[in-house]
Amino acid sequence: MSMTPEEGRRLLAQRMVWKEVTASTNDDARELAMAGAEAGTVVVAETQSAGRGRKGAAWFCAPGEGLAFSVVLVPGWPREQWAWTALGAGLAVSEALEQMGFAPEIKWPNDVLLEGRKVCGILVESLGERIVAGIGLNVNGGQFPEGVPAVSLEQVGGRPLQREGVLELVWRTLLDVVGRGVEDLSAAVWERLAWRDGEVEVDQEGGRGRIVGLGPHGELLVESAGGRVVLTDAGSVRRVVP
Ligand code: BTN
């Protein structure tokens, strides 16, 4: 059963490790997980000196503006379906943002978009019986490094937000999402999946096509002229701008 906001605040206070500066909250959460930390333990940092993104990219979060945190999880679904965790975390962020009045989309496999720009990146790492889900969320401000088009909640919503409240809501929703079945998860992710309306380009097999579904392990299914391409979570997809 899901937590009330009051229970969420109380439990989060018990399970949160807050750091002014650290290298990467994913590394801290991994250490805690290896030492047996319980599910829901979360490491939050004001500044990361070596924040990591997918495929070795760096992740930058301006102090006082964004949220950078990593949560220790024990997903309810079978081990061979753990690849759903990044999409599950994207779903949790999306559902939390929807509750705040935003209209997010999930960009397969690990981003959340607002108005077509990246508002959140997710880095999932598994170890033993646990998973660490690292979440970088652009809450306030609007200065981002060159590269991927990014946006903050403040830029879209027109007013700054209190980060503690956003953290509590995302954290509570994430714990709820990992307790759901994969079928429910798949349907909820599909409903919010970005770029279902046009052509995409995939890095694997170099094809172009249309997104037609999600596979049993969270793969992206793309129908191209050369046939069906099944992208695993190591793959990437880009929108083809008409
Ligand atoms: C990506 O977009 O490639 C994923 C970015 C993930 C960034 C978060 S911030 C908190 C956690 N700690 C890290 O070092 N990375 C993740």
Side-chain angles (χ1 to χ4, degrees), residues 24-26 48 51-54 59 69-70 118 121-122 134-136:
S24 158
T25 55
N26 262 37
Q48 294 184 113
R52 289 186 279 118
R54 197 166 164 254
W59 179 264
F69 62 100
S70 302
K118 180 164 172 167
I122 292 157
I135 298 180

Side-chain angles (χ1 to χ4, degrees), residues 35-219:
E38 62 185 323
T41 300
V42 53
V43 182
V44 190
E46 193 64 86
T47 304
Q48 294 184 113
S49 56
R52 289 186 279 118
R54 197 166 164 254
K55 297 189 170 182
W59 179 264
F60 173 78
C61 171
E65 295 187 346
L67 276 172
F69 62 100
S70 302
V71 189
V72 176
L73 297 172
V74 182
W77 44 82
R79 181 76 198 231
E80 61 275 14
Q81 288 181 310
W82 274 19
W84 277 102
T85 312
L87 288 169
L91 175 65
V93 172
S94 299
E95 288 186 353
L97 298 187
E98 285 162 12
Q99 283 197 44
M100 295 162 61
F102 293 98
E105 289 180 299
I106 299 172
K107 186 197 153 237
W108 187 95
N110 70 322
D111 291 342
V112 179
L113 309 180
L114 276 184
E115 299 181 347
R117 289 180 287 168
K118 180 164 172 167
V119 71
C120 169
I122 292 157
L123 180 67
V124 166
E125 295 174 319
S126 62
L127 51 141
E129 294 309 305
R130 292 177 164 82
I131 292 194
V132 166
I135 298 180
L137 179 59
N138 303 329
V139 181
N140 295 323
Q143 297 284 322
F144 302 107
E146 295 280 300
V148 184
V151 74
S152 71
L153 298 180
E154 180 182 11
Q155 285 175 311
V156 174
R159 64 186 174 92
L161 293 165
Q162 200 218 14
R163 288 179 303 156
E164 294 75 10
V166 178
L167 171 66
E168 187 277 321
L169 183 56
V170 172
W171 176 80
R172 183 159 44 89
T173 313
L174 181 58
L175 294 191
D176 183 65
V177 164
V178 295
R180 296 183 203 163
V182 162
E183 268 180 32
D184 285 0
L185 191 68
S186 177
V189 169
W190 178 249
E191 244 176 63
R192 295 164 176 83
L193 199 69
W195 305 347
R196 289 183 341 185
D197 55 343
E199 213 183 8
V200 294
E201 189 171 49
V202 300
D203 63 352
Q204 224 168 283
E205 302 169 43
R208 280 185 174 197
R210 285 181 174 268
I211 296 174
V212 292
L214 291 166
H217 302 103
E219 307 93 327

